[in-house]
Structures are given as C-alpha cells and as structure tokens.
C-alpha cells in the first residue's frame, strides 16, 4: 500500500491519502479498504460465534448512568477525507447521570458493525488477538435511553487518539459521568478507525465508515494539519449542536427519540474538553481558539506541527496555544514511556514551551510505568488479554506499559476527575 498522498482544496484526495492509525506509534496499518471490509460483512457473520467477553472497570461515582448516541450533520462543511461526501457527518455518545435505570439493559461498548471493523483494523494495529475475543460483547455500565436527571451539569467533550474510535474512551467517560458530569465522546470519521452510522445515505452506501489513515501523519505535515484542524472544527460544531439540545430541540439528523430531560441536564456555561494523543492536540488548541470552552486536559498530544521536512532535526511550528499560552486551565497528562526517543523529545519540546509561559494556568502530571494507550480502555483490556494468554507481555507493554490496571486505571481517573471537579464542579 502506497504511503504517498496528495491534497486538494477540500483536503487530501481520498484515493491517495495516507496517514497514521496511530498518531505517536508510527505503526503500519495493513487492513483492506472500506469497500473490501463491507463485502466481507455482506458475505459472512458480523461477529464470531463465540469468544471471550471483556469487562470494563466499573465507575466509582454515586450516579447510575444513562447513554444515548447522536448523529450530527454539519452541512456547512465538506468531508475533508472523502471528496464524495458533501457534508461533515459525526457520531457522538452522551453519558449522563440517570434519574432511573430499572428494567433497562446496559449498552455494549461497540455496535456490532463497528466491532466487526475493529476486529479487522485495530486488532492488526495494536497486535491484539485475532481470535478468542467477542469484541461486540463488552458491556458498559450505562443504560440506553434512561431518563436524565433534570439538573444542569457541566459538560465534557472527549476527542480520541488518531485512528482510534470514541468507544475506546468509554471507561473514563463513565467514570466522569458517574461523578456528575455529562460526557460527550466524539468520533472523527475518516480519521477514526471505524464509525457506525444509523444508516446509509446517497453519498455513503455503507453504515460503517473506516479509517483512511495508513502511516504516521507527523511524517506528512499538511495531512497532520488537516487532521487537527478537522477535529477542532468537529468539537466546535458539537458544542453548537448541544446548544440546540439544551434549548429543547433535537440535533439528531436521523430524527431519533432522545432520552427524557437530556437537554435540561446540560449547563453550557461550563464546558470542558479532554483528548488523547491527536485528540489532546485538538482540545488544547480548541481551548485557545474558542472561549466557550472553560478548561481542557491534553492526554499526551503534541502542541506543535511536525517539521516541514521530517527527519531534518528542525523543530516544527508551535500551535498558538503553546506559543501564546492560555488564561484558562490546561492539564498536560503524560506517560513515562511515550513511544520512541524522537516522539518523547518532540513532545517535551512543545510541552515545555507551553509550561514556560509566565502567569499561565497549565500544569503537567505523569503516569509512571505507563505507555501511550494507558489513557484508553486498553489500560484494563490489555492486561486482561495478557492474563488470558491472548496477548504477549511485550505487546501489552508497548500499548499501556507494565503498570497494572489496579494502579493505572484509578490514577488516570483521579487526575481527570480532580482536574474537572476543581475547574467545573458538578452538582451532586
């Protein structure tokens, strides 16, 4: 598969675009095209007949959780990754404190269509087991359609890592929501590994859209810029659509019913952001650009552009948030074992510039013994796969580090919960 790419005015051409499924890892994605995967789904079952069911850590807060998804369409933008899509489509999941959940089932972490694509794409990228796991069976702790508590609560938007789906941030989203926030996890289609929509459209004939990314976008400066700019625009659009919801309307483009009181649960005067890797870059810069966002947590995302000539040893241009600083709270949370010496050096350079700003409100913290994906659900899932003999210790360490989930999961949760509780305190 070629790693070359070209650009048009609307973004990279869909036939030749190539970028990374892993923002920091630089690993090669070798899965087939979206069309080939669609044919495979049509010819066989979407999920294995049997396999191990994985479990996510339970949230620790006092609130039971409701959950719903929203299909959002921005008609003012064309899709940057596919020239045949004339609008920008997004899928988001909303986790919220529920008024009651009796008799309601829990939602799965992934839809069946997304799980089938995950087993083809993400499994290859992260050296996960190719068999023995039913990826569609992992349950969450949230109940679809449960009525929301009609209490105005601060809202947090989550942007996942480059090439990752929003579903890999489920555990942290549930934790924050269980302590009184409304959490909205955002997929960035075309970038995200896999996204399942409610149905098809004349310009998208498969409900599951898979990633166009193939190798490290930091090796392709123009593509990296498109990736981050698109995510920032996505986050700002989601914020706009939440205002429609809070005003009593429905932003869901499929016209699906929404949980009772969901709009009344949103306090849009208090909106924060958090993101992992590419998502961390996007939320930090969105905080700088849009004063509607009150605080942000960057989970190991660069704060600079890649060098115009990768490998030249010359530093790339800092994003404005690092160049000029921000007067609103920003948490930089990293891992001890961030991938690769070059990656660690680049991250340290851009973060140090941010921290050097006088009078700033930026703080840095670190998870010791951890690697880059400790900020995702892999922090719990990878050790479980290793314990079951389905993943090697080396592959698990490359993903999340040797730190065990008994320490890593509570520590990541503590940093995020303490930061947002301090900056955007919820009403319990």
């Amino acid at each position: 598969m070629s790693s070359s790419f070209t650009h048009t005015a609307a973004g990279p051409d869909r036939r030749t675009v190539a970028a990374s499924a892993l923002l920091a890892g630089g690993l090669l994605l070798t899965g087939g095209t979206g069309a080939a995967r669609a044919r495979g789904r049509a010819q066989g079952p979407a999920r294995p007949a049997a396999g191990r069911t994985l479990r996510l850590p339970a949230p620790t807060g006092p609130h039971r959780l409701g959950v719903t998804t929203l299909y959002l369409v921005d008609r003012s933008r064309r899709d940057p990754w596919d020239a045949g899509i004339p609008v920008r489509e997004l899928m988001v999941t909303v986790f919220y404190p529920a008024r009651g959940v009796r008799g309601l089932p829990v939602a799965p972490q992934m839809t069946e269509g997304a799980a089938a694509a995950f087993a083809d794409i993400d499994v290859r990228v992260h050296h996960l087991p190719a068999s023995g796991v039913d990826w569609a069976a992992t349950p969450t702790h949230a109940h679809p359609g449960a009525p929301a508590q009609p209490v105005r609560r601060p809202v947090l938007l989550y942007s996942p890592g480059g090439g990752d789906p929003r579903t890999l941030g489920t555990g942290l989203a549930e934790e924050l929501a269980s302590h009184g926030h409304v959490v909205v996890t955002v997929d960035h289609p075309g970038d995200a590994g896999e996204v399942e929509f409610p149905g098809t459209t004349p310009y998208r004939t498969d409900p599951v859209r898979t990633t166009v990314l193939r190798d490290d976008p930091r090796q392709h400066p123009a593509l990296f810029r498109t990736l981050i700019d698109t995510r920032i625009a996505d986050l700002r659009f989601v914020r706009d659509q939440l205002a429609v919801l809070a005003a009593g309307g429905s932003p869901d483009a499929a016209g699906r019913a929404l949980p009772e009181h969901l709009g009344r649960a949103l306090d849009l005067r208090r909106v924060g952001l958090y993101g992992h890797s590419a998502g961390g870059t996007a939320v930090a810069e969105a905080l700088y650009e849009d004063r509607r966002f009150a605080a942000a947590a960057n989970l190991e995302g660069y704060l600079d552009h890649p060098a115009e000539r990768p490998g030249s040893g010359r530093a790339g241009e800092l994003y404005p948030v690092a160049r000029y600083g921000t007067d609103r709270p920003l948490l930089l949370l990293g891992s001890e074992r961030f991938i690769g010496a070059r990656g660690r050096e680049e991250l340290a350079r851009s973060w140090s510039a941010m921290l050097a700003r006088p009078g700033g409100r930026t703080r840095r913290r670190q998870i010791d013994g951890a690697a880059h994906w400790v900020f995702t659900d892999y922090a719990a899932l990878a050790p479980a796969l290793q314990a079951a003999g389905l993943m090697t210790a080396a592959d698990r360490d490359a993903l999340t580090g040797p730190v065990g989930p008994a320490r890593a999961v509570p520590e990541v949760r503590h940093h995020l919960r303490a930061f947002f509780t301090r900056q955007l305190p919820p009403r319990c």
Side-chain angles (χ1 to χ4, degrees):
M1 183 175 295
S2 171
S3 62
S4 63
F5 62 95
T6 61
H7 287 266
T8 67
D13 185 277
R14 62 173 168 164
R15 293 166 298 180
T16 54
V17 68
S20 176
L22 305 178
L23 175 64
L27 301 178
L28 179 65
L29 182 66
T30 57
T33 66
R37 281 188 287 272
R39 288 193 296 272
R41 286 195 298 274
Q43 294 169 358
R47 58 188 288 187
R52 181 177 296 270
T53 297
L54 300 175
R55 304 284 174 179
L56 297 172
T60 64
H63 298 291
R64 303 295 294 273
L65 299 179
V67 65
T68 194
T69 61
L70 299 175
Y71 168 47
L72 307 177
V73 179
D74 185 353
R75 302 189 184 281
S76 71
R77 288 188 291 155
R78 298 187 67 88
D79 189 90
W81 306 115
D82 189 327
I85 300 180
V87 296
R88 180 61 175 162
E89 301 176 288
L90 300 175
M91 288 298 297
V92 308
T93 298
V94 185
F95 297 90
Y96 54 91
R99 189 178 64 187
V101 300
R102 179 172 296 181
L104 296 175
V106 294
Q109 181 189 25
M110 303 181 198
T111 62
E112 290 200 11
F118 179 93
D120 184 28
I121 299 171
D122 302 69
V123 161
R124 295 170 184 260
V125 171
H126 292 298
H127 301 287
L128 302 170
S131 62
V133 178
D134 186 349
W135 295 105
T138 305
T140 69
H141 303 88
H143 304 263
Q149 296 177 14
V151 176
R152 297 288 183 188
R153 298 185 179 280
V155 178
L156 304 176
L157 275 57
Y158 168 68
S159 180
D164 285 343
R166 73 190 192 277
T167 49
L168 286 179
T170 296
L172 192 50
E174 289 190 327
E175 172 70 3
L176 293 166
S178 77
H179 285 273
H181 290 86
V182 174
V183 182
V184 182
T185 62
V186 181
D187 259 331
H188 304 282
D191 165 353
E194 58 281 328
V195 183
E196 184 163 15
F197 294 95
T200 62
T201 70
Y203 44 79
R204 180 181 43 74
T205 58
D206 191 337
V208 178
R209 184 174 174 188
T210 55
T211 186
V212 303
L213 304 183
R214 293 296 180 269
D215 70 349
D216 185 354
R218 300 245 341 149
Q219 299 301 309
H220 309 293
L223 187 145
F224 184 82
R225 185 182 299 271
T226 297
L227 187 147
I228 300 302
D229 288 351
T230 299
R231 284 166 168 259
I232 294 170
D234 288 347
L235 292 167
R236 298 180 74 168
F237 176 69
V238 171
R239 169 60 178 78
D240 294 340
Q241 297 306 290
L242 293 177
V244 174
L245 182 58
S250 173
D252 188 82
R256 299 173 300 172
L258 299 179
E260 186 181 11
H261 302 312
L262 183 60
R264 294 176 61 187
L266 306 177
D267 183 352
L268 297 184
R269 299 166 302 176
R270 299 185 292 161
V271 181
L273 304 158
Y274 69 105
H276 174 234
S277 198
T281 307
V283 302
E285 185 59 21
L287 179 73
Y288 175 83
E289 294 183 10
D290 193 330
R291 297 200 66 84
R292 296 179 301 173
F293 299 126
N298 172 0
L299 312 180
E300 211 154 60
Y302 295 103
L303 293 177
D304 64 349
H305 296 272
E308 287 302 318
R309 294 177 57 194
S312 66
R314 302 181 65 178
E317 178 188 9
L318 292 173
Y319 273 96
V321 67
R323 193 158 65 244
Y324 304 115
T326 176
D327 60 355
R328 279 154 291 150
L330 175 62
L331 173 66
L332 304 178
L333 183 58
S335 69
E336 181 184 12
R337 300 185 177 209
F338 187 66
I339 297 173
R342 180 176 60 83
R344 281 194 295 272
E345 181 181 337
E346 291 182 4
L347 186 77
R349 182 171 60 234
S350 67
W351 280 23
S352 294
M354 181 80 223
L355 292 163
R357 300 298 307 172
R361 301 184 65 187
T362 302
R363 298 293 180 268
R364 180 176 184 174
R365 300 290 184 267
Q366 178 174 288
I367 309 297
D368 291 334
H372 189 55
W373 280 271
V374 76
F375 304 109
T376 72
D377 290 336
Y378 288 132
L381 300 183
L385 292 171
Q386 183 194 355
L390 296 173
M391 190 174 194
T392 68
D395 286 339
R396 172 261 178 100
D397 286 358
L399 201 58
T400 63
V403 62
R407 179 169 72 81
V409 171
E411 189 169 344
V412 171
R413 288 178 166 189
H414 166 75
H415 282 296
L416 268 291
R417 195 175 65 242
F419 175 74
F420 285 118
T421 297
R422 184 167 60 253
Q423 307 302 338
L424 303 169
R427 220 191 288 177
C428 294

